[in-house]
Amino acid sequence: MIPRYLVDEELRKLPVVDTDVIVIGAGIAGLFTAIQSSERHSVLMITKKSLLDSNTRYAQGGIAAVTSPEDSPAFHRQDTLIAGAGLCKHEAVDVLVHEGPKGVRDLIRMGTQFDQENGEYALTKEGAHSQRRILHANGDATGYEIVRALSEKAMDDPNIEVWDDHFVIDLITQDGECCGALVQRPDGTRVLVRGKATILCSGGAGQLYRYTTNPDIATGDGIAMAYRAGAYVQDVEFIQFHPTSLCYPGAPRFLISEAVRGEGAVLRNIKGERFMERYHEQLELAPRDVVARAIVSEMELTKSTFVYIDITHESEELVKRRFPNIYEFCLKYGLDLTMDWIPVAPAAHYTMGGVKTDLNGETNIKRLFACGEVSSTGVHGANRLASNSLSEAIVFGRRIVERIEKLEPLADM
Protein backbone atom coordinates (compact mmCIF):
# COMPACT_ATOMS: atom_id res chain seq x y z
CA MET A 1 0.00 0.00 0.00
CA ILE A 2 1.50 3.32 -1.08
CA PRO A 3 0.99 5.98 1.62
CA ARG A 4 -0.72 9.23 0.69
CA TYR A 5 1.98 11.26 2.43
CA LEU A 6 5.61 10.35 3.09
CA VAL A 7 5.65 11.93 6.53
CA ASP A 8 3.11 12.21 9.35
CA GLU A 9 2.97 15.96 9.79
CA GLU A 10 0.24 18.10 11.35
CA LEU A 11 -0.09 20.77 8.70
CA ARG A 12 -1.98 23.18 10.97
CA LYS A 13 1.02 23.42 13.26
CA LEU A 14 3.44 24.33 10.48
CA PRO A 15 4.43 27.86 9.46
CA VAL A 16 2.70 28.89 6.24
CA VAL A 17 4.10 30.80 3.26
CA ASP A 18 1.59 32.13 0.73
CA THR A 19 2.33 32.89 -2.90
CA ASP A 20 0.41 32.93 -6.16
CA VAL A 21 2.35 30.34 -8.16
CA ILE A 22 4.60 27.56 -6.84
CA VAL A 23 7.23 26.22 -9.26
CA ILE A 24 8.89 22.99 -8.13
CA GLY A 25 12.19 22.53 -9.95
CA ALA A 26 14.29 24.59 -12.30
CA GLY A 27 15.65 23.89 -15.77
CA ILE A 28 14.05 25.42 -18.84
CA ALA A 29 10.56 24.35 -17.76
CA GLY A 30 10.74 25.86 -14.28
CA LEU A 31 12.58 29.03 -15.27
CA PHE A 32 10.45 29.76 -18.32
CA THR A 33 7.11 29.25 -16.55
CA ALA A 34 8.28 31.24 -13.54
CA ILE A 35 9.34 34.20 -15.69
CA GLN A 36 6.13 34.14 -17.70
CA SER A 37 3.99 33.81 -14.56
CA SER A 38 5.79 36.64 -12.79
CA GLU A 39 4.34 39.20 -15.18
CA ARG A 40 1.07 39.00 -13.21
CA HIS A 41 1.76 36.84 -10.16
CA SER A 42 4.13 36.36 -7.28
CA VAL A 43 6.17 33.21 -7.90
CA LEU A 44 8.10 30.96 -5.53
CA MET A 45 10.66 28.65 -7.17
CA ILE A 46 11.78 25.70 -5.04
CA THR A 47 14.90 23.83 -6.13
CA LYS A 48 16.64 20.79 -4.67
CA LYS A 49 20.04 22.35 -5.37
CA SER A 50 20.06 25.55 -7.41
CA LEU A 51 18.71 27.18 -10.55
CA LEU A 52 21.73 25.88 -12.47
CA ASP A 53 21.24 22.22 -11.50
CA SER A 54 18.95 20.50 -14.00
CA ASN A 55 18.96 18.26 -17.05
CA THR A 56 18.59 21.37 -19.22
CA ARG A 57 22.06 22.54 -18.23
CA TYR A 58 23.58 19.43 -19.81
CA ALA A 59 21.59 19.59 -23.06
CA GLN A 60 24.15 19.86 -25.84
CA GLY A 61 22.51 19.47 -29.22
CA GLY A 62 19.97 22.27 -29.24
CA ILE A 63 16.30 23.10 -29.57
CA ALA A 64 14.10 21.96 -32.45
CA ALA A 65 11.83 24.51 -34.10
CA VAL A 66 10.88 25.50 -37.62
CA THR A 67 12.82 28.67 -38.49
CA SER A 68 14.07 27.93 -42.01
CA PRO A 69 12.02 28.69 -45.16
CA GLU A 70 12.96 25.22 -46.43
CA ASP A 71 11.34 23.63 -43.37
CA SER A 72 7.69 23.48 -42.29
CA PRO A 73 5.54 22.43 -39.30
CA ALA A 74 4.29 19.55 -41.44
CA PHE A 75 7.83 18.17 -41.80
CA HIS A 76 8.51 18.61 -38.09
CA ARG A 77 5.22 16.90 -37.28
CA GLN A 78 5.99 13.92 -39.53
CA ASP A 79 9.46 13.48 -38.05
CA THR A 80 8.09 13.58 -34.50
CA LEU A 81 5.38 11.02 -35.23
CA ILE A 82 7.79 8.63 -36.92
CA ALA A 83 10.26 8.80 -34.04
CA GLY A 84 7.44 8.27 -31.53
CA ALA A 85 6.67 4.86 -33.04
CA GLY A 86 2.97 5.52 -33.51
CA LEU A 87 2.25 6.41 -29.88
CA CYS A 88 2.39 10.21 -30.03
CA LYS A 89 -0.74 12.21 -29.28
CA HIS A 90 -1.34 13.98 -32.58
CA GLU A 91 -2.99 17.05 -31.05
CA ALA A 92 -0.03 17.59 -28.74
CA VAL A 93 2.45 17.25 -31.60
CA ASP A 94 0.49 19.84 -33.60
CA VAL A 95 0.74 22.24 -30.68
CA LEU A 96 4.49 21.68 -30.43
CA VAL A 97 5.39 22.16 -34.09
CA HIS A 98 3.19 25.22 -34.62
CA GLU A 99 3.98 27.06 -31.38
CA GLY A 100 7.66 26.09 -31.10
CA PRO A 101 8.99 28.97 -33.24
CA LYS A 102 7.24 31.53 -31.02
CA GLY A 103 8.78 29.88 -27.98
CA VAL A 104 12.24 30.22 -29.50
CA ARG A 105 11.59 33.92 -30.09
CA ASP A 106 10.62 34.20 -26.42
CA LEU A 107 13.94 32.63 -25.41
CA ILE A 108 15.81 35.10 -27.61
CA ARG A 109 13.84 37.97 -26.10
CA MET A 110 14.80 36.71 -22.65
CA GLY A 111 18.48 36.87 -23.51
CA THR A 112 19.41 33.48 -25.01
CA GLN A 113 22.13 33.87 -27.63
CA PHE A 114 21.96 31.17 -30.28
CA ASP A 115 24.85 30.64 -32.69
CA GLN A 116 24.76 32.53 -35.98
CA GLU A 117 26.45 32.16 -39.34
CA ASN A 118 26.48 34.97 -41.91
CA GLY A 119 23.85 36.89 -39.98
CA GLU A 120 21.42 33.95 -39.81
CA TYR A 121 20.80 31.49 -37.00
CA ALA A 122 22.96 28.42 -37.53
CA LEU A 123 20.96 25.21 -37.88
CA THR A 124 22.13 21.64 -37.54
CA LYS A 125 20.53 18.26 -38.13
CA GLU A 126 20.06 15.40 -35.69
CA GLY A 127 18.74 11.85 -35.76
CA ALA A 128 15.34 11.28 -37.44
CA HIS A 129 15.05 14.94 -38.51
CA SER A 130 14.42 15.40 -42.21
CA GLN A 131 15.56 19.03 -42.14
CA ARG A 132 18.21 21.17 -40.49
CA ARG A 133 16.12 22.78 -37.73
CA ILE A 134 18.20 22.55 -34.54
CA LEU A 135 19.27 25.89 -33.10
CA HIS A 136 22.33 25.66 -30.85
CA ALA A 137 24.47 27.88 -28.65
CA ASN A 138 28.21 28.04 -28.01
CA GLY A 139 28.60 25.04 -30.30
CA ASP A 140 27.52 22.24 -27.98
CA ALA A 141 26.39 24.12 -24.85
CA THR A 142 22.82 25.05 -25.74
CA GLY A 143 21.29 23.99 -22.43
CA TYR A 144 23.85 25.89 -20.41
CA GLU A 145 23.26 29.06 -22.43
CA ILE A 146 19.48 28.83 -21.99
CA VAL A 147 19.81 28.25 -18.24
CA ARG A 148 22.28 31.14 -18.00
CA ALA A 149 19.94 33.58 -19.71
CA LEU A 150 16.78 32.49 -17.92
CA SER A 151 18.34 32.21 -14.46
CA GLU A 152 19.79 35.72 -14.75
CA LYS A 153 16.38 37.05 -15.73
CA ALA A 154 14.65 35.15 -12.92
CA MET A 155 17.10 36.37 -10.29
CA ASP A 156 16.54 39.97 -11.38
CA ASP A 157 12.74 39.63 -11.27
CA PRO A 158 11.23 41.17 -8.09
CA ASN A 159 8.17 38.92 -8.39
CA ILE A 160 10.23 35.70 -8.26
CA GLU A 161 11.58 34.32 -5.00
CA VAL A 162 14.00 31.39 -5.19
CA TRP A 163 14.52 28.79 -2.48
CA ASP A 164 17.69 26.86 -3.23
CA ASP A 165 18.55 23.65 -1.35
CA HIS A 166 14.93 23.00 -0.36
CA PHE A 167 13.25 19.63 -0.78
CA VAL A 168 9.56 19.26 -1.64
CA ILE A 169 8.29 16.23 0.29
CA ASP A 170 4.67 16.09 -0.84
CA LEU A 171 1.90 17.91 -2.67
CA ILE A 172 -0.99 18.96 -0.44
CA THR A 173 -4.52 18.44 -1.73
CA GLN A 174 -7.94 19.35 -0.40
CA ASP A 175 -11.33 18.58 -1.96
CA GLY A 176 -9.69 17.35 -5.16
CA GLU A 177 -7.53 20.44 -5.62
CA CYS A 178 -3.82 20.97 -5.14
CA CYS A 179 -3.35 23.83 -2.69
CA GLY A 180 0.38 23.71 -2.15
CA ALA A 181 3.32 21.64 -0.97
CA LEU A 182 5.10 20.45 2.15
CA VAL A 183 8.70 21.66 1.97
CA GLN A 184 11.76 20.81 4.03
CA ARG A 185 14.26 23.59 4.57
CA PRO A 186 18.05 23.07 4.59
CA ASP A 187 18.05 23.03 8.41
CA GLY A 188 15.52 20.20 8.52
CA THR A 189 12.50 22.30 9.55
CA ARG A 190 9.34 22.13 7.47
CA VAL A 191 6.96 24.68 6.05
CA LEU A 192 3.62 24.59 4.22
CA VAL A 193 3.65 26.60 1.01
CA ARG A 194 0.27 27.57 -0.42
CA GLY A 195 -0.54 28.84 -3.89
CA LYS A 196 -3.37 29.08 -6.38
CA ALA A 197 -1.33 26.99 -8.83
CA THR A 198 1.50 24.46 -8.41
CA ILE A 199 3.71 23.60 -11.37
CA LEU A 200 5.88 20.48 -11.30
CA CYS A 201 9.11 21.05 -13.25
CA SER A 202 11.23 18.51 -11.41
CA GLY A 203 12.68 16.61 -14.36
CA GLY A 204 13.04 12.91 -15.06
CA ALA A 205 14.29 9.75 -13.38
CA GLY A 206 17.61 8.86 -15.02
CA GLN A 207 19.27 8.07 -11.70
CA LEU A 208 17.14 4.93 -11.46
CA TYR A 209 19.70 3.46 -13.87
CA ARG A 210 23.33 2.50 -13.32
CA TYR A 211 24.45 4.25 -16.50
CA THR A 212 22.82 7.60 -17.23
CA THR A 213 23.62 10.96 -18.77
CA ASN A 214 21.46 12.68 -16.12
CA PRO A 215 22.77 14.67 -13.13
CA ASP A 216 22.38 13.38 -9.57
CA ILE A 217 19.13 15.29 -8.99
CA ALA A 218 17.16 13.32 -11.63
CA THR A 219 15.51 10.93 -9.17
CA GLY A 220 11.84 11.01 -10.20
CA ASP A 221 10.62 12.90 -7.12
CA GLY A 222 7.98 14.87 -9.01
CA ILE A 223 6.37 11.85 -10.64
CA ALA A 224 6.26 10.05 -7.29
CA MET A 225 4.71 12.91 -5.32
CA ALA A 226 2.13 13.52 -8.05
CA TYR A 227 1.21 9.83 -8.04
CA ARG A 228 0.77 9.85 -4.27
CA ALA A 229 -1.50 12.88 -4.64
CA GLY A 230 -3.73 11.01 -7.11
CA ALA A 231 -2.45 12.37 -10.41
CA TYR A 232 -2.52 10.07 -13.42
CA VAL A 233 0.86 8.81 -14.58
CA GLN A 234 1.42 7.30 -18.02
CA ASP A 235 4.09 5.90 -20.36
CA VAL A 236 6.83 5.66 -17.71
CA GLU A 237 7.91 2.36 -19.27
CA PHE A 238 9.35 4.35 -22.18
CA ILE A 239 12.84 5.37 -21.11
CA GLN A 240 15.02 6.74 -23.88
CA PHE A 241 18.61 5.52 -23.95
CA HIS A 242 20.90 7.95 -25.70
CA PRO A 243 23.01 5.91 -28.15
CA THR A 244 26.32 7.65 -27.58
CA SER A 245 27.58 8.33 -24.08
CA LEU A 246 31.30 8.21 -23.39
CA CYS A 247 32.35 4.74 -22.25
CA TYR A 248 35.93 4.99 -21.01
CA PRO A 249 37.67 3.81 -17.82
CA GLY A 250 37.67 6.51 -15.16
CA ALA A 251 35.29 8.81 -17.07
CA PRO A 252 31.61 9.46 -16.30
CA ARG A 253 28.94 8.62 -18.86
CA PHE A 254 29.35 11.97 -20.55
CA LEU A 255 26.96 12.71 -23.41
CA ILE A 256 28.42 12.75 -26.92
CA SER A 257 25.76 14.84 -28.61
CA GLU A 258 23.65 13.53 -31.45
CA ALA A 259 24.72 16.67 -33.29
CA VAL A 260 28.16 15.06 -33.70
CA ARG A 261 26.52 12.49 -35.96
CA GLY A 262 24.47 15.29 -37.48
CA GLU A 263 27.72 16.92 -38.59
CA GLY A 264 29.01 13.73 -40.22
CA ALA A 265 30.32 11.35 -37.53
CA VAL A 266 29.91 7.63 -38.17
CA LEU A 267 29.64 4.63 -35.85
CA ARG A 268 32.09 1.72 -35.99
CA ASN A 269 32.24 -1.54 -34.07
CA ILE A 270 35.48 -2.61 -32.38
CA LYS A 271 36.60 -4.17 -35.67
CA GLY A 272 36.44 -0.74 -37.28
CA GLU A 273 33.42 -1.60 -39.42
CA ARG A 274 30.52 0.79 -40.02
CA PHE A 275 27.37 -1.10 -39.17
CA MET A 276 24.29 1.15 -39.25
CA GLU A 277 23.53 0.24 -42.88
CA ARG A 278 22.49 -3.19 -41.56
CA TYR A 279 19.89 -1.64 -39.26
CA HIS A 280 18.26 1.42 -40.83
CA GLU A 281 18.20 3.38 -44.08
CA GLN A 282 18.96 6.63 -42.22
CA LEU A 283 22.21 5.10 -40.96
CA GLU A 284 23.69 7.05 -38.00
CA LEU A 285 20.78 9.51 -38.12
CA ALA A 286 18.08 6.92 -37.50
CA PRO A 287 15.80 7.48 -34.47
CA ARG A 288 17.58 7.18 -31.14
CA ASP A 289 15.93 3.92 -30.11
CA VAL A 290 16.99 2.29 -33.39
CA VAL A 291 20.59 3.46 -33.06
CA ALA A 292 20.79 2.42 -29.39
CA ARG A 293 19.52 -1.09 -30.13
CA ALA A 294 21.89 -1.38 -33.10
CA ILE A 295 24.83 -0.48 -30.88
CA VAL A 296 23.80 -3.05 -28.28
CA SER A 297 23.50 -5.67 -31.02
CA GLU A 298 27.02 -4.88 -32.27
CA MET A 299 28.37 -4.99 -28.73
CA GLU A 300 26.88 -8.45 -28.28
CA LEU A 301 28.12 -9.69 -31.65
CA THR A 302 31.67 -8.47 -31.02
CA LYS A 303 31.67 -9.28 -27.28
CA SER A 304 32.55 -5.68 -26.47
CA THR A 305 31.28 -3.08 -24.00
CA PHE A 306 31.36 -0.22 -26.49
CA VAL A 307 31.47 0.90 -30.11
CA TYR A 308 33.28 3.90 -31.59
CA ILE A 309 32.03 7.24 -32.85
CA ASP A 310 34.36 8.61 -35.53
CA ILE A 311 34.43 12.20 -36.77
CA THR A 312 38.16 12.24 -37.63
CA HIS A 313 37.37 12.67 -41.34
CA GLU A 314 35.92 16.14 -40.68
CA SER A 315 38.16 19.19 -40.35
CA GLU A 316 39.78 20.00 -37.04
CA GLU A 317 38.37 23.54 -37.30
CA LEU A 318 34.78 22.29 -37.62
CA VAL A 319 35.08 19.86 -34.72
CA LYS A 320 36.58 22.40 -32.33
CA ARG A 321 34.15 25.13 -33.35
CA ARG A 322 30.98 23.03 -33.18
CA PHE A 323 31.86 20.86 -30.20
CA PRO A 324 34.25 22.79 -27.97
CA ASN A 325 32.96 21.33 -24.70
CA ILE A 326 32.87 17.73 -25.91
CA TYR A 327 36.35 18.18 -27.37
CA GLU A 328 37.77 19.57 -24.12
CA PHE A 329 36.04 16.98 -21.95
CA CYS A 330 37.35 14.05 -23.98
CA LEU A 331 40.82 15.60 -24.04
CA LYS A 332 40.91 15.44 -20.22
CA TYR A 333 40.91 11.66 -20.57
CA GLY A 334 43.48 11.56 -23.36
CA LEU A 335 40.96 11.28 -26.19
CA ASP A 336 41.24 13.73 -29.09
CA LEU A 337 37.95 14.06 -30.99
CA THR A 338 39.81 15.28 -34.08
CA MET A 339 42.18 12.28 -34.20
CA ASP A 340 40.69 9.42 -32.15
CA TRP A 341 37.68 7.20 -32.42
CA ILE A 342 35.73 7.80 -29.21
CA PRO A 343 34.36 4.75 -27.30
CA VAL A 344 30.64 5.10 -26.61
CA ALA A 345 27.68 3.04 -25.38
CA PRO A 346 23.98 3.73 -24.69
CA ALA A 347 22.93 5.24 -21.35
CA ALA A 348 19.57 6.19 -19.83
CA HIS A 349 18.80 9.70 -21.00
CA TYR A 350 15.14 10.78 -20.95
CA THR A 351 11.84 9.79 -19.34
CA MET A 352 9.22 9.89 -22.10
CA GLY A 353 6.27 9.40 -19.79
CA GLY A 354 5.40 11.06 -16.52
CA VAL A 355 2.52 12.99 -15.02
CA LYS A 356 -0.31 13.00 -17.55
CA THR A 357 -1.47 16.44 -18.64
CA ASP A 358 -3.91 17.95 -21.09
CA LEU A 359 -2.91 20.40 -23.81
CA ASN A 360 -2.74 23.17 -21.19
CA GLY A 361 -0.30 21.28 -19.01
CA GLU A 362 -2.95 20.61 -16.34
CA THR A 363 -3.25 17.27 -14.58
CA ASN A 364 -6.45 15.56 -13.46
CA ILE A 365 -5.98 17.38 -10.13
CA LYS A 366 -7.18 20.96 -10.37
CA ARG A 367 -4.46 23.59 -9.84
CA LEU A 368 -1.69 21.03 -10.37
CA PHE A 369 0.34 21.39 -13.56
CA ALA A 370 3.38 19.57 -14.95
CA CYS A 371 5.92 20.85 -17.46
CA GLY A 372 9.07 19.47 -19.03
CA GLU A 373 10.44 15.98 -18.52
CA VAL A 374 8.28 15.27 -15.46
CA SER A 375 5.18 15.60 -17.64
CA SER A 376 3.57 13.37 -20.22
CA THR A 377 1.88 15.63 -22.75
CA GLY A 378 1.78 12.92 -25.42
CA VAL A 379 4.29 14.67 -27.68
CA HIS A 380 7.04 12.05 -27.49
CA GLY A 381 5.18 8.76 -27.77
CA ALA A 382 7.55 5.82 -27.27
CA ASN A 383 10.70 7.68 -28.35
CA ARG A 384 11.44 11.40 -28.21
CA LEU A 385 12.67 13.10 -31.37
CA ALA A 386 16.05 14.73 -30.71
CA SER A 387 15.89 18.29 -29.35
CA ASN A 388 12.11 18.28 -28.96
CA SER A 389 12.40 18.34 -25.17
CA LEU A 390 13.42 21.98 -24.83
CA SER A 391 10.72 22.98 -27.34
CA GLU A 392 8.07 21.09 -25.39
CA ALA A 393 8.98 22.86 -22.15
CA ILE A 394 8.56 26.38 -23.52
CA VAL A 395 5.46 25.61 -25.60
CA PHE A 396 3.52 23.97 -22.80
CA GLY A 397 5.01 26.33 -20.21
CA ARG A 398 3.36 29.22 -22.02
CA ARG A 399 0.06 27.33 -22.16
CA ILE A 400 0.23 26.62 -18.43
CA VAL A 401 0.66 30.31 -17.66
CA GLU A 402 -2.34 31.16 -19.85
CA ARG A 403 -4.45 28.55 -18.05
CA ILE A 404 -3.43 29.85 -14.61
CA GLU A 405 -4.83 33.25 -15.57
CA LYS A 406 -8.29 31.70 -15.58
CA LEU A 407 -8.06 30.12 -12.12
CA GLU A 408 -9.98 31.52 -9.18
CA PRO A 409 -8.04 32.49 -6.04
CA LEU A 410 -7.29 29.66 -3.63
CA ALA A 411 -9.91 29.20 -0.90
CA ASP A 412 -8.85 29.03 2.74
CA MET A 413 -7.80 25.62 4.00
Side-chain angles (χ1 to χ4, degrees), residues 73-222:
F75 288 152
H76 193 181
R77 179 182 190 272
Q78 181 182 36
D79 295 344
T80 301
L81 294 176
I82 291 173
L87 293 179
C88 301
K89 184 177 179 181
H90 288 213
E91 300 90 336
V93 175
D94 285 338
V95 166
L96 177 79
V97 301
H98 284 96
E99 298 180 18
K102 186 178 189 309
V104 167
R105 292 194 292 272
D106 285 337
L107 289 179
I108 295 170
R109 176 176 55 82
M110 293 176 181
T112 303
Q113 299 178 20
F114 292 109
D115 294 336
Q116 297 189 35
E117 292 178 356
N118 302 319
E120 301 286 340
Y121 284 110
L123 302 176
T124 192
K125 191 176 182 181
E126 293 184 336
H129 285 273
S130 61
Q131 308 291 325
R132 296 180 75 90
R133 67 168 66 96
I134 315 299
L135 292 94
H136 47 83
N138 299 319
D140 57 355
T142 309
Y144 188 87
E145 167 60 15
I146 290 173
V147 168
R148 178 206 61 78
L150 297 188
S151 60
E152 288 178 4
K153 190 168 183 63
M155 293 298 290
D156 289 339
D157 194 319
N159 288 331
I160 298 177
E161 182 178 358
V162 179
W163 286 2
D164 286 336
D165 300 309
H166 284 62
F167 191 88
V168 179
I169 298 173
D170 264 311
L171 301 170
I172 306 301
T173 55
Q174 180 176 307
D175 300 326
E177 293 187 345
C178 181
C179 50
L182 174 63
V183 181
Q184 183 160 300
R185 295 186 182 278
D187 62 4
T189 60
R190 291 166 183 166
V191 60
L192 174 61
V193 180
R194 300 184 347 130
K196 83 168 186 176
T198 300
I199 311 172
L200 280 174
C201 304
S202 52
Q207 286 297 326
L208 291 175
Y209 292 83
R210 180 179 182 183
Y211 299 120
T212 179
T213 62
N214 291 183
D216 292 344
I217 58 169
T219 52
D221 309 329

Side-chain angles (χ1 to χ4, degrees), residues 379-396:
V379 164
H380 306 309
N383 176 56
R384 175 173 65 81
L385 182 67
S387 293
N388 266 0
S389 55
L390 301 184
S391 306
E392 180 194 35
I394 55 177
V395 165
F396 286 89

